[in-house]
Amino acid sequence: VSPWVLRGLRDGVVTTRWPARPDPYADGWRGPATVLDPRPAGAADLASLCPTGAVSATHRSLTLDQGQCILCGRCVVGRPDVFGWSRGPGGAALTRDGLVVPQVTETERNLAAVRAALRAKTAALRRSVHLRHVDAGSDGTEEQEIAALLNPVYDIHRLGIFVTASPRHADVLLVTGAGAHGMAEPLRRTYDGMPDPKIVIAVGTDACGGGLLAGSSATSDGVGAVIGVDVWLPGSPPPPFSILCALLGALGRLPREVSP
Amino acid sequence: VNPRMWDDLAGQVAAGSRFAGLMATQRAGGLVLSAHLAGAKDVTVRDVALPPGAGSYPALTPVLGAASWYEREIHDLFGVVPAGHPHLEPLLLPGPSVPRHVLGAGLFTIPHGPVRSGVMESIEYLVETPGEDIPHLSTRVFYKHRGVESRFEGLPAGDGVLLAERTEGVASVAHALAYCHAIERIADVSVPWPAALVRVLYAELERLANHLDAAVRLADAAGLAVATARFGVHKERVLRLVSRMCGSRFGRGVVVPGGVSGPPELSGADFLAEIGRLDRAVTADAAVLMGTASFLDRLRSTGPLRPERAREYGALGPVGKASGFSDDARRFRPYDAYPALGLGEVSTYSAGDALARLRIRWDEVRQSFHLLRQAADELGDVGDGAFRAEFDPVDGRSVGWAEAPQGEVLYDVRVEGGRLTRCHPRSASFHNLALFHEVFAGDILTDFPFIEASFGLSVAGVAR
């Protein structure tokens, strides 16, 4: 008998049961920064806390764009009364504006229509979904976190989700990176090669808004300038549970409370 | 331009210094070329100023082959022509049109990339083949060029570390360390002892995660499903341990100029218990892997790098050590807590093949567990001290380095008025990838994933 047979049996089942059951690692995850107090005293001075310009402030109120948050924590350390960490694997949004906290009511009304349109696209996919990934200028960590979904801890095959090499077989496109100009054409060709209906998920803060590379002459401040994006997922990088959560959310396969 | 401008440098390399890189800086008086030389104890810089408006200079590459990619990069980013460079193709920026050479009769080209199968970073390998062998391979790295170097310019010196962490994400800690070492050297600041220990913890955990990732990729290439799964689980446990310590799975936000942002958010006992469990699991599985004959057959004599070539080129990290070239910054140019911790001998092999590169990684994994235990014990003894030396950034210029899992990372940093005016990160991936196309002698298409995984490089650190 190959020694690998016995080693494979050694640790029993290591696979998470999330999202059917809660998982402490998923629920306890420290996500992008969020706003605890949108009308603090001296709001105007707080924008300078953020190295990527995610915090916008007027003289009496402020917002934080999680699509530009690189989780450096400077705002949380600097003003713990105003900023805090978001918790859990959620945090993806169906519109780019949806990543700005606190949310305005108008955006929430538009969201219902966006959500319905996405559900109509994904209804046919049911329980067999194929992913294609394109790196459009990442720092290399997002690829590691997407690849981690294939290890036995997350094991996305249990959910009927598979990674495919050919865009012709793909239903979902995971795009990482700040939108490097050199990858614009390969990204567009991959997108065009996918059959309809197709869903695009921007994975990571760089893909959402460019992160620290925003303003670089070699990138387009996120992938939204290159192709249409259906789901925006911030994180630097987002952990496997967040990627899975965004994916299942787009497919309408999440319990209500964590759905984007 | 002085036609003998490189004589001095070539002499130093001939006398035993290792050529560690070449970069250009646009200064008020014209372009300055800076060569980095790694010696037994230090990394030194040789600056050569070109006359204002000089459009070309005599290339270094004909004298020193290892400069080839560096001069191509300078040509792309600064437009200056290294006259006499034998192979001046675009490297970081795509040219107007790149010709696709096919070098022999009966050969055809298989493009791998830039969008690759599986979940990989974007890079294109053009494999020229008569069907099975790989007589010629060319590499195009420019697809994911992000303009990182120019984004450094103008950042406050304290913020540069955030971008350093994102220059090559799989080596976030090593890049942050090399950057901070440069900033601390300029200001002549030494970090508090507890911070030096914490830095070692994160750096060695990063090494574990990267080496386990290489094992996952090699086992996957060989179709060993159980080994792939098990090393994948071990790697996940390492990343989770790091996230329990600091909130980030890649150790981001920990290393800051002057020290670290704080102690691990995990008790020393819990840390040591988890390290013990990991060590036992990894060691047992590695032993089984290295006893699996069908696996070893695929690695043995695959992708060999000759020791003479490794020495001449100055190959870094596991790639160099597997070919008998044993440079390790932690040992020869030690920093933070490494001088006081028992690193032990740096092992080397002479076979230079994919198997030797994996053996080096297991040796380093063993060494890392040893270092992690020592550093955690020591940290428990020193208790709570200061974790950060507060200082205002000082103007000046310096070089900093750290040993990433891929090999030595080098940062050349200049601060003026508290802000970065130049920051050049040189990753081990950049230096080693230039060797990649040379090791395919006698190997066939199905060896490609083994050779790529055994190099263990990150494209982000190359294309930047």
Side-chain angles (χ1 to χ4, degrees):
Chain A
V1 177
S2 157
W4 287 113
V5 174
L6 296 173
R7 296 217 68 84
L9 297 171
R10 247 182 115 81
D11 295 330
V13 177
V14 295
T15 309
T16 179
R17 299 195 59 196
W18 194 91
R21 296 271 185 284
D23 186 299
Y25 191 69
D27 299 331
W29 180 256
R30 198 188 78 183
T34 189
V35 176
L36 305 176
D37 175 8
R39 297 183 179 282
D45 304 329
L46 298 181
S48 62
L49 282 173
C50 181
T52 59
V55 177
S56 312
T58 62
H59 63 285
R60 68 172 61 144
S61 73
L62 60 82
T63 57
L64 190 153
D65 178 7
Q66 295 186 326
Q68 269 295 77
C69 175
I70 57 165
L71 288 86
C72 67
R74 298 201 171 177
C75 58
V76 182
V77 172
R79 282 298 293 272
D81 55 323
V82 181
F83 301 97
W85 296 110
S86 57
R87 289 282 166 187
L94 301 184
T95 60
R96 180 65 184 80
D97 291 341
L99 291 175
V100 179
V101 289
Q103 269 301 305
V104 283
T105 20
E106 195 188 344
T107 345
E108 271 169 23
R109 245 180 286 132
N110 293 339
L111 203 59
V114 178
R115 188 179 289 128
L118 184 61
R119 291 286 181 273
K121 277 212 280 186
T122 58
L125 297 177
R126 301 170 69 86
R127 298 191 72 83
S128 168
V129 179
H130 288 72
L131 312 176
R132 172 68 249 191
H133 156 259
V134 174
D135 162 20
S138 77
D139 62 34
T141 51
E142 280 91 357
E143 283 68 30
Q144 303 256 321
E145 297 297 57
I146 295 171
L149 291 173
L150 299 168
N151 77 34
V153 178
Y154 302 98
D155 185 26
I156 51 170
H157 295 175
R158 76 196 153 98
L159 300 163
I161 303 173
F162 306 90
V163 173
T164 177
S166 170
R168 307 270 181 221
H169 300 161
D171 308 301
V172 177
L173 184 62
L174 301 176
V175 194
T176 57
H181 292 328
M183 280 309 293
E185 186 56 27
L187 174 59
R188 249 181 243 119
R189 286 178 61 191
T190 307
Y191 178 80
D192 291 342
M194 290 169 58
D196 285 322
K198 48 193 168 192
I199 304 160
V200 177
I201 305 181
V203 179
T205 294
D206 286 1
C208 291
L212 277 171
L213 292 161
S216 163
S217 57
T219 70
S220 47
D221 299 358
V223 297
V226 185
I227 56 170
V229 173
D230 298 296
V231 179
W232 304 84
L233 175 63
S236 188
F241 268 127
S242 293
I243 301 170
L244 186 55
C245 186
L247 193 52
L248 293 177
L251 298 170
R253 283 170 53 182
L254 274 186
R256 243 191 127 70
E257 61 273 17
V258 268
S259 212
Chain B
V1 182
N2 175 8
R4 311 201 63 85
M5 62 188 266
W6 299 120
D7 284 5
D8 171 39
L9 183 73
Q12 282 186 300
V13 172
S17 290
R18 171 169 61 81
F19 172 75
L22 184 71
M23 70 166 199
T25 306
Q26 192 69 57
R27 302 289 294 168
L31 206 61
V32 177
L33 300 177
S34 311
H36 298 112
L37 289 171
K41 295 244 178 299
D42 202 0
V43 176
T44 52
V45 188
R46 310 291 299 181
D47 283 345
V48 182
L50 299 182
S56 78
Y57 67 93
L60 172 60
T61 305
V63 192
L64 198 63
S68 176
W69 274 36
Y70 294 92
E71 295 202 303
R72 286 169 64 186
E73 174 184 306
I74 291 168
H75 176 239
D76 279 358
L77 298 182
F78 295 88
V80 65
V81 176
H85 191 291
H87 193 70
L88 200 59
E89 275 187 20
L91 185 75
L92 290 194
L93 301 176
S97 77
V98 187
R100 294 198 169 191
H101 297 297
V102 178
L103 293 183
L107 296 181
F108 60 95
T109 305
I110 303 175
H112 280 276
V115 178
R116 315 199 40 206
S117 67
V119 183
M120 311 274 267
E121 289 188 71
S122 293
I123 187 169
E124 186 177 28
Y125 299 111
L126 291 169
V127 179
E128 283 177 24
T129 175
E132 190 91 272
D133 302 345
I134 308 178
H136 188 77
L137 176 91
S138 51
T139 311
R140 292 188 185 164
V141 301
F142 53 72
Y143 291 97
K144 61 178 294 185
H145 173 62
R146 295 170 286 156
V148 169
E149 286 192 30
S150 55
R151 288 300 293 141
F152 270 113
E153 288 165 20
L155 285 182
D159 286 359
V161 65
L162 297 173
L163 189 52
E165 287 177 332
R166 286 154 183 86
T167 299
E168 185 177 31
V170 298
S172 292
V173 176
H175 277 257
L177 284 177
Y179 174 83
C180 289
H181 290 155
I183 296 286
E184 289 154 9
R185 258 182 117 180
I186 295 172
D188 197 19
V189 167
S190 54
V191 305
W193 179 240
L197 291 166
V198 172
R199 286 179 167 189
V200 168
L201 291 182
Y202 286 98
E204 295 306 318
L205 286 168
E206 180 173 272
R207 198 175 319 282
L208 281 183
N210 275 271
H211 288 357
L212 288 169
D213 189 62
V216 170
R217 286 174 196 269
L218 288 168
D220 190 37
L224 289 178
V226 179
T228 309
R230 286 190 63 85
F231 289 116
V233 172
H234 301 331
K235 181 191 165 194
E236 176 69 21
R237 282 176 67 175
V238 174
L239 295 182
R240 287 192 177 195
L241 176 60
V242 176
S243 70
R244 280 171 72 195
M245 291 162 66
C246 69
S248 159
R249 287 158 60 91
F250 295 88
R252 286 180 174 172
V254 173
V255 180
V256 292
V260 293
S261 54
E265 301 161 16
L266 181 72
S267 79
D270 288 350
F271 178 82
L272 284 167
E274 177 64 6
I275 287 296
R277 282 192 291 270
L278 261 171
D279 189 0
R280 280 191 298 279
V282 169
T283 306
D285 280 342
V288 176
L289 186 69
M290 299 313 274
T292 303
S294 64
F295 175 74
L296 301 182
D297 285 346
R298 300 302 309 271
L299 272 70
R300 195 175 288 118
S301 77
T302 300
L305 176 68
R306 286 179 297 110
E308 315 83 77
R309 180 66 185 136
R311 179 167 301 276
E312 172 196 45
Y313 183 80
L316 300 171
V319 176
K321 290 176 185 174
S323 297
F325 187 65
S326 71
D327 191 82
D328 189 322
R330 294 175 297 168
R331 179 170 176 77
F332 297 107
R333 294 171 295 285
Y335 47 88
D336 296 328
Y338 287 111
L341 300 174
L343 185 64
E345 276 301 300
V346 176
S347 59
T348 56
Y349 296 88
S350 57
D353 54 3
L355 183 58
R357 291 192 276 273
L358 182 58
R359 286 195 203 282
I360 287 289
R361 287 197 171 88
W362 291 133
D363 290 349
E364 290 196 351
V365 163
R366 203 172 309 123
Q367 211 173 29
S368 290
F369 278 121
H370 185 55
L371 285 164
L372 285 166
R373 282 202 189 84
Q374 288 182 73
D377 280 341
E378 185 84 2
L379 194 61
D381 293 342
V382 295
D384 289 334
F387 283 90
R388 185 174 189 179
E390 297 289 344
F391 68 100
D392 290 323
V394 175
D395 286 3
R397 184 232 188 151
S398 190
V399 179
W401 59 84
E403 186 77 9
Q406 290 79 15
E408 171 203 70
V409 173
L410 212 59
Y411 269 68
D412 191 330
V413 178
R414 185 189 290 272
V415 181
E416 284 168 308
R419 289 181 179 266
L420 300 171
T421 51
R422 183 80 174 107
C423 178
H424 174 80
R426 198 280 279 132
S427 67
S429 295
F430 182 92
H431 194 76
N432 279 353
L433 189 63
L435 282 173
F436 185 67
H437 72 99
E438 293 183 18
V439 303
F440 283 83
D443 291 311
I444 59 173
L445 290 173
T446 52
D447 292 326
F448 190 91
F450 290 94
I451 300 176
E452 191 185 18
S454 75
F455 266 63
L457 308 179
S458 165
V459 186
V462 183
R464 302 191 308 286

